[in-house]
């Protein structure tokens, strides 16, 4: 989805959020690309295509929140981009927190601490023996943990040390 389509679609979905929130989402996508991040954890070769994938992921994340938790939490997730942009994989946990009476400041704090990841990537890692799943699922979990730490420059040394012990 290109920037113009993203803007029009998000404004149509949540007119209350306004163009300011949309600008923050597109700036967030651009920032992620500058940090060599892509929403599907692939290498960033084509920056324009990666920007479109980010905007798709953000839009789909907000739509998923709307479908699962309703209009108000989705509107809050969309509008909070003025304060703090969430990664698409943080949106559902943020919506759950908002739906249960939490506020936007609480969501921001949880996001910064890495506590909103749907796959639990923000918490302490289970050892492979404690985690049920295939080797690929465990590998994907570690990739998300690494990616998240790289994105926020947090806990990277600890995670790399733990990952090194796992090999």
């Amino acid at each position: 989805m290109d920037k113009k389509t993203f803007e029009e679609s998000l404004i149509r979905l949540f007119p209350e959020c306004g163009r300011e929130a949309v600008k923050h989402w597109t700036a967030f996508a651009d920032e992620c690309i500058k940090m060599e991040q892509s929403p599907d954890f692939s290498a960033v070769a084509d920056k324009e295509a990666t920007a479109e994938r980010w905007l798709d992921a953000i839009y789909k994340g907000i739509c998923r929140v709307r479908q699962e938790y309703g209009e108000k939490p989705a509107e809050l997730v969309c509008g909070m981009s003025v304060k703090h942009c969430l990664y698409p994989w943080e949106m559902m946990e943020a919506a759950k927190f908002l739906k249960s009476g939490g506020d936007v400041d609480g969501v921001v704090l949880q996001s910064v601490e890495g506590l909103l990841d749907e796959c639990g990537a923000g918490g302490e890692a289970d050892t492979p023996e404690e985690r049920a799943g295939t080797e690929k699922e465990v590998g994907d979990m570690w990739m998300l943990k690494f990616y998240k730490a790289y994105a926020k420059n947090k806990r990277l040394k600890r995670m790399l040390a733990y990952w090194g012990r796992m090999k």
Side-chain angles (χ1 to χ4, degrees):
M1 171 180 306
D2 63 23
K3 287 183 180 184
K4 183 173 175 47
T5 305
F6 176 77
E7 181 178 342
E8 291 169 355
S9 299
L10 212 52
I11 294 285
R12 192 175 324 113
L13 196 61
F14 299 108
E16 310 80 30
C17 289
R19 296 196 187 283
E20 188 67 23
V22 175
K23 286 180 186 175
H24 282 86
W25 283 118
T26 56
F28 174 69
D30 292 339
E31 180 183 320
C32 289
I33 293 166
K34 285 179 188 164
M35 293 190 305
E36 298 291 317
Q37 300 174 4
S38 75
D40 55 2
F41 309 107
S42 62
V44 176
D46 180 2
K47 293 185 187 240
E48 177 124 355
T50 304
E52 290 179 0
R53 286 198 315 267
W54 269 115
L55 297 177
D56 279 341
I58 292 165
Y59 184 77
K60 287 175 184 174
I62 293 170
C63 287
R64 187 171 164 223
V65 166
R66 184 177 185 210
Q67 182 178 7
E68 294 286 324
Y69 292 100
E71 191 80 22
K72 189 63 177 168
E75 185 181 321
L76 289 171
V77 167
C78 179
M80 74 178 290
S81 68
V82 175
K83 243 184 190 183
H84 178 82
C85 291
L86 297 172
Y87 285 100
W89 52 85
E90 294 178 313
M91 292 179 181
M92 292 299 284
E93 290 297 318
K96 185 192 303 183
F97 177 76
L98 291 166
K99 185 82 173 184
S100 67
D103 63 352
V104 171
D105 291 330
V107 170
V108 172
L109 181 63
Q110 287 186 19
S111 175
V112 170
E113 291 297 317
L115 301 174
L116 294 176
D117 297 336
E118 278 186 90
C119 69
E124 290 300 315
D126 294 336
T127 62
E129 296 81 38
E130 295 170 339
R131 175 169 162 70
T134 66
E135 215 174 290
K136 180 171 177 5
E137 287 173 334
V138 173
D140 289 348
M141 176 192 72
W142 278 103
M143 184 61 193
L144 181 59
K145 283 180 165 292
F146 176 79
Y147 187 71
K148 188 71 171 167
Y150 172 77
K152 293 190 176 186
N153 255 347
K154 295 175 74 177
R155 300 185 207 114
L156 182 59
K157 287 183 182 177
R158 186 172 73 199
M159 285 177 26
L160 287 174
Y162 189 78
W163 182 72
R165 288 188 303 225
M166 298 296 295
K167 281 188 149 187

